[in-house]
Amino acid sequence: MRLLLAVSCVLIIAVTLIAARRAEQTCALDISLTDAQTGAPLAGQIKVTTADGEVVNVHELLSRGLGLKAGEPIQHWAVLTKPTTLTLPAQLLTIEAFCGLETETTRIEVDLRDKTKHTLSIPLHRFYNAADRGFRSANTHLHLMKLSRAEVDRYLTEIPRADGLDIVFLSYLERAGADHEYTSNSYTADDLARLSKTSGTGFGNGEEHRHNYGGGGEGYGHVMFLNIKELIQPVSIGPGIMKLGTDGLPIQRGIDTARGDGATVVWCHNDWGLEDLANWATDRIDAQNIFDGGIHSSYKQSFYRYLNAGIDVPFSTGTDWFIYDFSRVYVAAGKYVTPAGWLAALSSGKTYITNGPLLEFTVNGHGPGSTIDIDNGKPLKIEARGWGRHDFKRLELIKNGNVVDSAPAERQNNHFVARLNITLETDQPCWLALRTPAPPLAGDAKLTEPVNKNEFGKDLFAHSSAIHIVRNGRRYMDRQVAEGMIQEMTEIRAQIDKQSNFADPQERSRVLDVYSDGIDAMRKRLQD
C-alpha cells in the first residue's frame, strides 16, 4: 500500500511538472491584420484568450485601456497597427480582431502547442466604408493625464488609427494643482503637425474653457474652443476650479473672444452648466456634445429642447479623459478634409454621432443639416440605413422629439443592417432625425429599455443631426418650450446673483447681462 501511494505521488508530481513546463513554453507568433477584400494591411484591436477563457496580456502591444481603471472590458484589447511578433503561451488560443467600427469581428482558433514559431494573418471583413461615402470622423473632446510624454505619443499615434478616427482634437485645460499631471497640455501646434504626419490621423488643437462652483459642482458650464489661434485666458474661471479669483467672468466672454479668432465653439456634457441656454439663444454655439465623459442625461435635455425652441443644434461628441469608448462624430465633409474644413462641416449640421452603429439618413435626397421647404403638401420621401457590428435593435425616426416610425436591425453575415423607406405626409413645419434606441437613464421612465453594448462594455448609441422641414421659410417652434426656456433663464439669473462671488457691481452686471440678453433673444424668436 505504501509503495502504491508513493508511486501515485510521483506520477502526480510528474504530471504537474509537465503541465507547468508546457504552461511556461512560449511561441513567437508573427501576426498581422488585413482587409479581406483587398488584402491591404489594417490597424485594429486584438484580444487573445486561452482555452479556459483567460485573457492573455500581450506585452508587445499597447493596451487599449492604457490610463484607465483596471478590470474594465477595454483592458482585454490590445492595439495592433503593423505586423508584429508576439510572445504567447504555446497553447490552444482564440484570437479576436476588428478594425474601427467598419469591420466584422474575426475569431480564429490557433494551436500553438509544441510550436516555437508561427505566422498568422487575420482577414477582416469590411461591411461599410465611411470614407468612400464622404464621411469623416473625429473626437472633439480629449485630454490625457498621468502618462509620460513617450506614452502619450504612442497612444495618439496608435489608438486613433486602430479605432478608425480621421481627426482628433487634443485640448488644453487647467485645474489648480492637478493640471501638473495633464500631459496633453504640453503639446504645441508643431507637435500636433508632427503627429498628423507620422500617424495618419489629423490632429487639431483646442481648449476646454470652464467654470464650476466647487471642484466638480455645476457652474456656468464647460465649452470647447476648437482650432484656436491661442489660449483664451483665463482657461478656467473662478475659485471653484482655480482656488483664486471671483465668479465675475461669464463663459460668454471667452466664447466671443474665441469666435473672434475663428474658433469653433462646442458646448460640453449635454445640458451641464447654467449658461448653455443663454448662449444657444443668442446663436453663439456651433455644436453640442453629448456622452463626452459618460451618459449623464439624454437627448431631450438639450438637443430636442433646443430644436423644439427653433434653435439649430448640430450633434457632436467626444470622450473627454482618454479614448475610453468608440464615441465619435461623423460629418459629410468629402473624402479628404483638414481639421479646419471638418469643423466647417460640423457647424453646418451635416453630422451624426455614434459609438458603434453607422447611419445614413435623407429626406427628399437631402441629408442632416438641410432645410426643405414643404412643396404644396407633397409627401416627404425618407430613406434611412444603419449598419453595426453589434445588434443595435432598430432605427427610429424622430419627429419633433418623438419616435414616429422604426425599422428592425437584422443579421447579415456577422453584422447587422436596418433599412427604413417611408413617405411622411405633413403640411406643418417640423424637424426630423434618425437614431438607434437611446441608452437607458436612471430617473427617466421613458428610457428604461436596455441597449446592447460594444466591445468596451459601453451602451450603444447613434443619432443624426436634424433635417428641418419649413413652410414659407418658417421653422418649427413649440411656444411652450421656448417660454419654458425664458422662465428657466430668469430663475438661473436669480440663482447666480445669489450664489456667485462678485468683486464689484461691474462683475455682477457682466455675468447677469448674459441671461438678460438670452431672455431678450428668445422673446424675439417668439415674436418672429
Side-chain angles (χ1 to χ4, degrees), residues 333-383:
K335 293 185 179 181
Y336 172 77
V337 64
T338 63
W342 186 91
L343 288 171
L346 174 75
S347 300
S348 70
K350 300 176 181 179
T351 79
Y352 73 90
I353 61 172
T354 184
N355 69 345
L358 301 157
L359 304 179
E360 290 184 6
F361 174 53
T362 61
V363 177
N364 292 354
H366 300 280
S370 301
T371 299
I372 300 171
D373 212 318
I374 296 172
D375 184 13
N376 299 322
K378 290 182 180 179
L380 301 170
K381 183 180 180 182
I382 296 171
E383 296 181 311

Side-chain angles (χ1 to χ4, degrees), residues 145-185:
M145 66 174 172
K146 296 182 180 179
L147 298 177
S148 69
R149 178 60 182 259
E151 287 175 319
V152 173
D153 270 358
R154 186 180 181 189
Y155 188 103
L156 295 173
T157 300
E158 296 187 19
I159 288 179
R161 183 179 169 202
D163 276 14
L165 277 165
D166 297 299
I167 296 171
V168 171
F169 290 94
L170 191 66
S171 293
Y172 184 97
L173 80 165
E174 294 180 356
R175 179 186 292 276
D179 51 25
H180 295 303
E181 297 182 308
Y182 295 177
T183 320
S184 49
N185 279 5

Side-chain angles (χ1 to χ4, degrees), residues 174 207-214 220-221 232-255 275 511:
E174 294 180 356
E207 171 190 330
E208 185 172 2
H209 185 63
R210 58 187 186 167
H211 170 274
N212 291 58
Y213 290 118
Y220 302 160
I232 307 301
Q233 298 289 354
V235 175
S236 293
I237 298 170
I241 298 178
M242 298 308 294
K243 302 187 185 305
L244 54 83
T246 69
D247 302 306
L249 290 176
I251 294 292
Q252 189 175 102
R253 172 186 171 275
I255 291 173
E275 208 178 300
V511 172

Side-chain angles (χ1 to χ4, degrees), residues 66-82:
L66 179 67
L68 298 172
K69 184 175 66 174
E72 296 291 327
I74 195 171
Q75 303 286 349
H76 298 162
W77 295 91
V79 179
L80 181 63
T81 59
K82 61 184 178 181

Side-chain angles (χ1 to χ4, degrees), residues 170-422:
L170 191 66
S171 293
Y172 184 97
L173 80 165
E174 294 180 356
R175 179 186 292 276
D179 51 25
H180 295 303
E181 297 182 308
Y182 295 177
T183 320
S184 49
N185 279 5
S186 66
Y187 280 75
T188 66
D190 289 341
D191 293 329
L192 296 179
R194 172 183 54 80
L195 279 173
S196 298
K197 185 176 181 179
T198 59
S199 69
T201 302
F203 283 87
N205 64 20
E207 171 190 330
E208 185 172 2
H209 185 63
R210 58 187 186 167
H211 170 274
N212 291 58
Y213 290 118
E218 186 176 25
Y220 302 160
H222 295 204
V223 64
M224 299 299 303
F225 301 148
L226 302 179
N227 201 29
I228 56 173
K229 294 180 180 178
E230 59 185 9
L231 290 176
I232 307 301
Q233 298 289 354
V235 175
S236 293
I237 298 170
I241 298 178
M242 298 308 294
K243 302 187 185 305
L244 54 83
T246 69
D247 302 306
L249 290 176
I251 294 292
Q252 189 175 102
R253 172 186 171 275
I255 291 173
D256 289 345
T257 304
R259 288 174 65 88
D261 286 347
T264 298
V265 178
V266 181
W267 196 268
C268 300
H269 311 308
N270 204 29
D271 64 336
W272 180 255
L274 302 174
E275 208 178 300
D276 57 337
L277 297 182
N279 284 295
W280 275 108
T282 52
D283 294 322
R284 284 178 160 89
I285 312 295
D286 293 297
Q288 174 76 51
N289 270 358
I290 190 171
F291 307 154
D292 53 336
I295 295 175
H296 304 297
S297 51
S298 66
Y299 304 120
K300 71 179 183 180
Q301 272 76 33
S302 60
F303 294 103
Y304 296 175
R305 187 183 189 193
Y306 301 157
L307 289 164
N308 286 342
I311 300 170
D312 197 6
V313 49
F315 277 46
S316 179
T317 193
T319 55
D320 200 354
W321 286 107
F322 296 92
I323 308 178
Y324 64 85
D325 193 2
F326 289 115
S327 306
R328 79 273 310 271
V329 50
Y330 280 92
V331 302
K335 293 185 179 181
Y336 172 77
V337 64
T338 63
W342 186 91
L343 288 171
L346 174 75
S347 300
S348 70
K350 300 176 181 179
T351 79
Y352 73 90
I353 61 172
T354 184
N355 69 345
L358 301 157
L359 304 179
E360 290 184 6
F361 174 53
T362 61
V363 177
N364 292 354
H366 300 280
S370 301
T371 299
I372 300 171
D373 212 318
I374 296 172
D375 184 13
N376 299 322
K378 290 182 180 179
L380 301 170
K381 183 180 180 182
I382 296 171
E383 296 181 311
R385 298 288 186 274
W387 297 261
R389 189 162 49 235
H390 300 281
D391 183 3
F392 52 88
K393 293 191 175 182
R394 61 186 175 272
L395 293 177
E396 296 178 338
L397 179 66
I398 307 300
K399 178 185 177 184
N400 299 341
N402 299 306
V403 179
V404 294
D405 212 324
S406 64
E410 299 176 343
R411 180 179 286 276
Q412 184 171 306
N413 299 320
N414 288 320
H415 65 278
F416 292 84
V417 179
R419 298 175 176 84
L420 180 66
N421 294 310
I422 64 168

